[in-house]
Amino acid sequence: MNSTTPKSVTILGSTGSIGRNTLNVIRRNPDRFFVKAISANKSVDEVRKQIVEFHPETVVMIDPVAAETLRKEYGDMIMTGDDALNEISSRQNIDIVVAAMVGFAGLRPTIEAIRAGKRVAIANKETLVVAGELMTALAKKTGAEILPIDSEHSAIAQCLIGEAPESIKRIILTASGGPFRTRLKETFGSITLSEALKHPNWVMGRKITIDSATLMNKGLEIIEARWLFSVPLEKIDVIVHPQSIIHSLVEFCDGSIKAQLGAPDMRLPIQYALGYPDRLAHEYDVLDLLINNRLDFEQPDIDKFPCLRLAREAGERGGLFPTILNAANEIAVEAFLNEKIGFDEIPRIIEQVIQNSPRDSAQPLNALSDDSINKGIGRIYHADAKARENAQKLVAKKVFVS
Ligand code: MG
């Protein structure tokens, strides 16, 4: 990217944790970036502040009532609806799209951004989990750049610079282990919502915080890494590293291991994705190795955290299984957040939905032509809806595999 002309940015999900951190990065780098469009769900007050400070050309509110409220104040620049979301992702005068919506809802606008050949800074890992095969194939055709905002994947991308793909022996994703790393499995049924929402190292949105507590987050990240770096699943390992100082590692064929270290601050991977290949100077906390002078590692406990196994299995089966896994997880996590099910019931619902899914779900998503990309997306939407329906039934009935 040319560093002299400021780049225009669309932020999908501007009021979430990643969205607000992205605005923080843009605020500190006004000579490099400016906000062209934002989207949010219904946080009217927060969006109002963002409009005043960043002067976006367009604001898309997912919630029509919130859109109407803001339209009275700001007129036609306030939009709503899926088409508006797709438009601000693919508009000609946009350089970078930050995909920071939560969950499957971010899929269509992210695809549109890739189709339009944008730089897509992607925090919305669920889209890569369900459609990574199609997204990476499409990006190859359109010249779109997909750059990870996820801290682990940003670390891997940084470790891979200058390295030949065939020299990668394995990718090692680090996991903090979440708040229940040392808790006894027998007590998982009594985990409360507030306990699960307390992540030891990172401040994040509610959905990803629960995913981190079940280790589903790491499972999704395995699948995410596979598509981002074109590395087979069997070459992607997970290691628990409670301090979250090493953000991930790559082992090469000569036995050498490269790691990226840093303070747990999402602004670093965000500005790396926005500014790549440049590194931007910053004023954030610097990692002091004399204070953070200890790095521990342990094996993840698959028995205690079955979501990690379920995600890997879904990735191995391929096709629509990652979509089914993700949909069931989104419903189960939402039910847990609404205190309708227990923490230990999240993996049981997911496992049951996967078991009940159609046999042909493993059929690959062919991504060779425009037509097949659209067909693939159609299949993903259908499988997602079915899996959600099944998961909702299980939540209502509370009947799971034990
Ligand atoms: Mg991560």
Side-chain angles (χ1 to χ4, degrees):
M1 296 217 298
N2 181 347
S3 60
T4 54
T5 328
K7 300 292 171 193
S8 57
V9 182
T10 285
I11 305 172
L12 302 172
S14 69
T15 58
S17 174
I18 297 292
R20 282 181 280 119
N21 275 312
T22 303
L23 288 170
N24 187 302
V25 167
I26 293 175
R27 181 185 295 128
R28 288 157 185 261
N29 295 280
D31 53 329
R32 307 271 317 208
F33 313 110
F34 64 100
V35 177
K36 196 81 177 178
I38 57 175
S39 84
N41 188 18
K42 55 182 174 189
S43 309
V44 167
D45 292 340
E46 176 98 20
V47 167
R48 214 180 261 127
K49 283 184 208 148
Q50 294 180 350
I51 293 174
V52 170
E53 181 177 356
F54 294 97
H55 309 291
E57 196 173 87
T58 307
V59 174
V60 178
M61 298 301 290
I62 310 291
D63 180 64
V65 179
E68 201 43 51
T69 306
L70 286 172
R71 199 191 296 266
K72 282 179 191 143
E73 297 163 47
Y74 297 100
D76 286 348
M77 67 175 276
I78 310 294
M79 301 173 79
T80 189
D82 289 344
D83 289 347
L85 215 47
N86 295 341
E87 198 276 323
I88 61 166
S89 307
S90 56
R91 185 182 294 173
Q92 209 178 353
N93 60 12
I94 303 282
D95 299 311
I96 304 171
V97 175
V98 176
M101 293 171 69
V102 178
F104 186 80
L107 179 59
R108 185 69 75 176
T110 306
I111 294 269
E112 291 312 316
I114 296 171
R115 207 191 292 278
K118 306 299 184 194
R119 166 173 293 197
V120 185
I122 190 154
N124 184 200
K125 71 189 73 180
E126 292 89 344
T127 58
L128 276 165
V129 167
V130 303
E133 194 172 356
L134 302 178
M135 286 162 67
T136 48
L138 187 59
K140 266 197 196 120
K141 284 173 60 173
T142 64
E145 298 172 284
I146 302 178
L147 294 171
I149 283 183
D150 214 346
S151 61
E152 293 80 357
H153 303 75
S154 178
I156 295 161
Q158 292 177 57
C159 291
L160 288 176
I161 285 175
E163 304 289 353
E166 57 274 18
S167 66
I168 303 170
K169 192 170 163 199
R170 65 185 175 128
I171 282 174
I172 307 163
L173 291 166
T174 52
S176 71
F180 309 126
R181 181 175 60 88
T182 58
R183 183 164 173 148
L184 289 174
K185 193 192 174 204
E186 294 69 44
T187 68
F188 270 33
S190 61
I191 286 172
T192 65
L193 179 57
S194 65
E195 286 173 328
L197 285 173
K198 270 187 211 119
H199 194 275
N201 303 330
W202 295 92
V203 180
M204 307 177 288
R206 284 157 67 89
K207 196 264 176 179
I208 188 173
T209 302
I210 302 304
D211 283 346
S212 298
T214 62
L215 293 204
M216 177 58 89
N217 183 52
K218 210 50 54 181
L220 299 177
E221 287 181 356
I222 295 174
I223 304 174
E224 182 187 7
R226 170 207 201 158
W227 297 120
L228 279 172
F229 307 113
S230 309
V231 168
L233 286 168
E234 59 269 23
K235 286 188 172 184
I236 306 171
D237 283 344
V238 172
I239 193 164
V240 173
H241 166 46
Q243 291 91 356
S244 297
I245 289 171
I246 296 181
H247 295 317
S248 276
L249 315 91
V250 180
E251 183 179 336
F252 296 94
C253 56
D254 59 357
S256 181
I257 294 179
K258 278 164 93 173
Q260 186 263 342
L261 290 70
D265 184 330
M266 284 312 292
R267 291 174 298 187
L268 296 181
I270 290 169
Q271 72 169 32
Y272 187 76
L274 296 185
Y276 177 85
D278 298 344
R279 282 191 187 273
L280 313 184
H282 70 83
E283 303 151 28
Y284 315 137
D285 285 346
V286 174
L287 174 66
D288 186 336
L289 290 171
L290 294 176
I291 294 169
N292 300 280
N293 60 359
R294 197 177 151 157
L295 304 174
D296 293 316
F297 304 99
E298 53 192 64
Q299 191 77 11
D301 187 340
I302 303 283
D303 185 44
K304 226 162 94 170
F305 299 102
C307 285
L308 193 53
R309 168 181 59 81
L310 292 170
R312 189 180 280 279
E313 285 170 4
E316 280 162 358
R317 293 168 88 174
L320 294 167
F321 277 106
T323 299
I324 295 163
L325 170 95
N326 179 68
N329 181 57
E330 286 192 25
I331 295 299
V333 169
E334 189 187 86
F336 176 71
L337 285 171
N338 293 327
E339 300 186 86
K340 285 184 184 152
I341 62 166
F343 185 82
D344 58 334
E345 291 169 327
I346 296 172
R348 286 157 67 192
I349 289 179
I350 299 165
E351 184 146 34
Q352 181 81 66
V353 172
I354 290 173
Q355 277 178 16
N356 294 350
S357 58
R359 291 223 175 135
D360 63 356
S361 303
Q363 200 187 325
L365 295 159
N366 189 329
L368 295 176
S369 66
D370 267 353
D371 186 45
S372 57
I373 286 170
N374 291 333
K375 267 191 197 141
I377 292 170
R379 285 183 64 207
I380 287 170
Y381 270 86
H382 181 74
D384 174 81
K386 280 276 167 224
R388 276 169 203 273
E389 205 180 294
N390 285 337
Q392 291 286 19
K393 275 184 200 154
L394 294 173
V395 168
K397 279 195 217 154
K398 286 202 152 241
V399 183
F400 330 113
V401 281
S402 49

